[in-house]
């Protein structure tokens, strides 16, 4: 097959990561390098030129997924927002961002498959610790932060179970959670 004319090494690498994601979603974590090369439209040798092993490719795919979520958080940061909870609000916006439910299910399916690989689980754990530390330093009370993050995480995984996520109730909940991050003293009114 060889390299497609006009495709840069970066384009080929991107195509291989996308193909690996498609192959893992279609065939599970045990998709072969041959499967991935076919999905990418390159030879197995071309794949190995970019990724020396399947383990290296899977780890890079996981890093790519983690980086994509971090990029969505970064994109959701409001440059005019300097108040405590700024990062938490961006996290909430990124986690519940409108996307079609099929895309969300595909992403969750891929992540679920990847997390069965111990090295990927370790990468994800380290990334989760990094993000948790950044959120903890965001200036919100721990209970408010825990509630907002748990709600965002739950709302973002609803499509995995077939639940719709872009309902008026979900939008209201996201708005109320954002309001709570701007007014964390409201949490104290709810506690006995």
């Amino acid at each position: 097959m060889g390299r497609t004319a006009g495709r840069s090494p970066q384009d080929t690498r991107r195509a291989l990561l996308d193909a690996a994601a498609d192959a893992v979603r279609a065939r599970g974590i045990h998709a072969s390098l041959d499967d991935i090369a076919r999905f990418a439209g390159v030879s197995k040798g071309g794949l190995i030129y970019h990724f020396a092993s399947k383990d290296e490719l899977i780890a890079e795919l996981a890093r790519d997924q983690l980086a994509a979520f971090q990029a969505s958080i970064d994109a959701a940061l409001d440059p005019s927002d300097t108040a405590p909870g700024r990062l938490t609000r961006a996290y909430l916006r990124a986690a519940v961002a409108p996307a079609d439910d099929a895309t969300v299910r595909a992403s969750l399916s891929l992540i679920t498959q990847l997390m069965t690989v111990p090295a990927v689980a370790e990468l994800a754990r380290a990334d989760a610790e990094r993000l948790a530390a950044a959120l903890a330093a965001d200036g919100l009370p721990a209970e408010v932060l825990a509630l907002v993050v748990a709600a965002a995480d739950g709302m973002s995984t609803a499509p995995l179970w077939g639940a719709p996520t872009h309902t008026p109730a979900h939008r209201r909940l996201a708005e109320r959670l954002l309001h709570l991050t701007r007014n964390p003293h409201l949490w104290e009114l709810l506690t006995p």
Side-chain angles (χ1 to χ4, degrees):
M1 280 182 215
R3 193 169 81 103
T4 303
R7 186 160 50 177
S8 72
Q10 295 82 5
D11 291 342
T12 301
R13 191 172 174 84
R14 176 78 259 156
L16 288 167
L17 289 172
D18 293 343
D22 291 342
V24 168
R25 279 191 289 267
R27 301 216 165 99
I29 199 65
H30 299 295
S32 69
L33 288 177
D34 288 324
D35 293 333
I36 295 166
R38 260 193 311 280
F39 272 76
V42 301
S43 67
K44 185 176 178 182
L47 186 155
I48 291 172
Y49 174 80
H50 290 278
F51 299 99
S53 68
K54 183 178 169 190
D55 290 343
E56 181 184 320
L57 175 59
I58 294 299
E60 187 59 29
L61 178 59
R63 282 190 282 278
D64 184 64
Q65 292 293 304
L66 293 169
F69 184 62
Q70 182 61 54
S72 68
I73 294 170
D74 294 343
L77 284 167
D78 179 352
S80 66
D81 183 358
T82 58
R86 176 179 188 254
L87 180 62
T88 305
R89 286 185 286 282
Y91 180 88
L92 174 63
R93 286 186 204 103
V96 301
D100 69 271
D101 290 343
T103 300
V104 174
R105 275 192 301 277
S107 178
L108 291 170
S109 171
L110 173 61
I111 292 164
T112 302
Q113 289 284 334
L114 292 174
M115 289 298 290
T116 64
V117 177
V120 170
E122 180 56 30
L123 281 171
R125 185 199 57 72
D127 189 68
E129 285 179 1
R130 177 201 55 78
L131 183 55
L135 289 167
D138 197 30
L140 293 178
E143 290 177 331
V144 171
L145 175 63
L147 173 67
V148 171
V149 170
D153 291 347
M155 290 169 67
S156 70
T157 60
L160 189 58
W161 310 106
T165 58
H166 306 299
T167 65
H170 276 93
R171 284 189 293 281
R172 261 190 325 277
L173 176 57
E175 289 167 11
R176 288 181 178 179
L177 290 167
L178 287 169
H179 183 71
L180 181 60
T181 66
R182 290 185 182 95
N183 302 282
H185 65 278
L186 294 173
W187 176 254
E188 297 305 320
L189 300 175
L190 299 175
T191 57

